[in-house]
Amino acid sequence: MPENEWIQGKRFYFLGIGGASMSALGKYVLNCGGELYGYDAVPSERTAELEKAGVKIYSSAAIGEEEKAVINSAGKIVCTSAISKVNARFEECMAQGKNVTYRGEFLGEIASAFPCVVSVAGSHGKTTCTSMCAHIFLSAKKRFTAHIGGDDILLENYYRSGEDYFLTEACEYKKNLLYLRPSVAVLLNIDRDHMECYRGEEDLTQTFLDYCSKGNVALVCADDKKIADARLTYPSFGIVNKNAYFTAKAIVNERERYSFDFCEDGKAICRIRLKAAGRCHILNALAAGGAARLCGISAEHTAAGLNSFEGVKRRFEKIGEVGGAAWYCDYAHHPREISATLKTAAALTPGRLYVIFQPHTYSRTKTLMEDFANALSAAENTAIFKEYAAREKYDESGSAKRLAENIRGAEYCETEEEFAKFAARGGAGDAVLFLGAGDVYEKAKEILNKQT
């Protein structure tokens, strides 16, 4: 199996190693014979997994002499884009005169070593679609490496069987997707997000279009308005737009699990039966299946791969039951995602639906305040949990409390005790839905473990 020679035997230091994308890149470094060290402020399951693999990870507030020596000896320093430049570790790297490579650039360097790269971009659905792609390539017994920005139930955030193909997410945060030069550039949708990184919506849209132009071929969603308005001439996929090259017909809904004929150029080539709940997964499956077909994978393996996909953690994941109420977690942190998840949850819940949403970043909440309020107003029993600030400083105008004030009947939960009391209201036949990209998932599981 060919290896990236520039990685083998080299010492790497990852700043912000605990994220899904960074830890997956770390696993690749280890697989290629690199020596890996890292820092993350909060120990997690991901950092524990890497430590078990022999990675030394630092997490103390103060940087010690041992860690300074590691930085000094590192041949490559990789930093997540979310790390502030006033971070003590970043400042130490600068003080030592070290060159820092950001995550997106490093991902592009790795991808460039592969003969064929399939990348998945868009404001929503990247992780699910990339995971679906991995299942198709696995079914086809291709030699591939998958870099996933979340945890597929079977494959987790990283899988490697060879280096003929590289499957990855293409993140729009700080225009990181432009570091990739894919063989197949998939574009799922364009929506307002990470607007603090862009001059406006035109800049955001143009960045996605520039990403498409970097691919040998692009595969775009014909149903997305912004993509349709751009009048792109690439192959497309869609449900509503019947002119799409890849489309779904004979759609059947069985308790939010969808089956359909996967059609290529107007002809049904296989039957897909999705296990993951939600109509949005039809488009994700068309995109993943379409990308696989453009790579020459058979209809038989495309169907087998999609039918084997069971879902991604934190994507409408049932984590347990309390008092007869089903508890679900979903990563939805954008109004469009929230609306889709609420529709799925409502269709599957015979009783009452309780929704707890944790805003992720002040800038996103402030920019999309009205959209968040409208989306969450669809739920009758709503609580807003204290925001997950991530990399940002406090901004009252984008706070969770301000959002709660904009939603009629919504409650605001400042403490974990208030959070737990609201969640405990669900009874037999009800559902409790925890939404957000912050630590709401961990909080929900902690409370669940205490209740059961």
Side-chain angles (χ1 to χ4, degrees), residues 97-256:
K98 308 293 287 189
N99 291 323
V100 173
T101 301
Y102 282 101
R103 183 205 63 84
E105 184 180 0
F106 186 59
L107 176 62
E109 291 175 2
I110 288 176
S112 67
F114 287 77
C116 182
V117 176
V118 177
S119 60
V120 181
S123 302
H124 320 288
K126 295 185 289 294
T127 296
T128 297
C129 185
T130 305
S131 295
M132 286 179 168
C133 284
H135 280 264
I136 297 171
F137 279 72
L138 185 63
S139 174
K141 294 181 171 59
K142 297 296 184 182
R143 291 162 51 86
F144 73 97
T145 298
H147 166 264
I148 305 170
D151 289 303
D152 178 273
I153 289 175
L154 175 65
L155 306 177
E156 297 184 339
N157 65 336
Y158 173 79
Y159 180 86
R160 185 186 185 215
S161 63
E163 297 200 355
D164 291 342
Y165 299 89
F166 187 64
L167 315 178
T168 185
E169 296 187 28
C171 178
E172 72 276 14
Y173 181 62
K174 292 190 175 180
K175 302 188 179 183
N176 282 324
L177 74 174
L178 298 182
Y179 286 113
L180 293 165
R181 295 187 177 277
S183 307
V184 180
V186 179
L187 179 57
L188 300 172
N189 42 61
I190 301 175
D191 207 347
R192 288 195 303 158
D193 200 7
H194 300 301
M195 295 309 296
E196 72 277 14
C197 305
Y198 293 89
R199 294 188 299 273
E201 288 191 54
E202 288 186 6
D203 186 27
L204 173 69
T205 298
Q206 188 59 52
T207 298
F208 279 116
L209 301 184
D210 290 345
Y211 154 80
C212 288
S213 69
K214 286 179 174 287
N216 292 348
V217 64
L219 176 62
V220 303
C221 182
D223 291 351
D224 185 88
K225 186 178 185 307
K226 286 188 173 65
I227 296 174
D229 288 347
R231 300 184 182 278
L232 303 175
T233 57
Y234 304 116
S236 63
F237 61 93
I239 303 171
V240 177
N241 190 327
K242 301 304 180 184
N243 293 321
Y245 190 75
F246 299 103
T247 192
K249 294 182 180 179
I251 299 173
V252 176
N253 175 9
E254 296 180 6
R255 286 187 54 80
E256 289 302 298

Side-chain angles (χ1 to χ4, degrees), residues 309-356:
F309 173 73
E310 295 186 3
V312 177
K313 292 179 182 178
R314 290 188 74 169
R315 270 65 175 183
F316 205 69
E317 176 190 355
K318 185 176 181 180
I319 62 171
E321 291 188 5
V322 176
W327 283 27
Y328 295 93
C329 286
D330 195 278
Y331 197 70
H333 57 287
H334 185 281
R336 184 164 158 182
E337 297 164 353
I338 291 170
S339 294
T341 304
L342 288 180
K343 287 178 183 177
T344 299
L348 293 173
T349 305
R352 295 163 298 181
L353 177 63
Y354 292 89
V355 177
I356 302 175

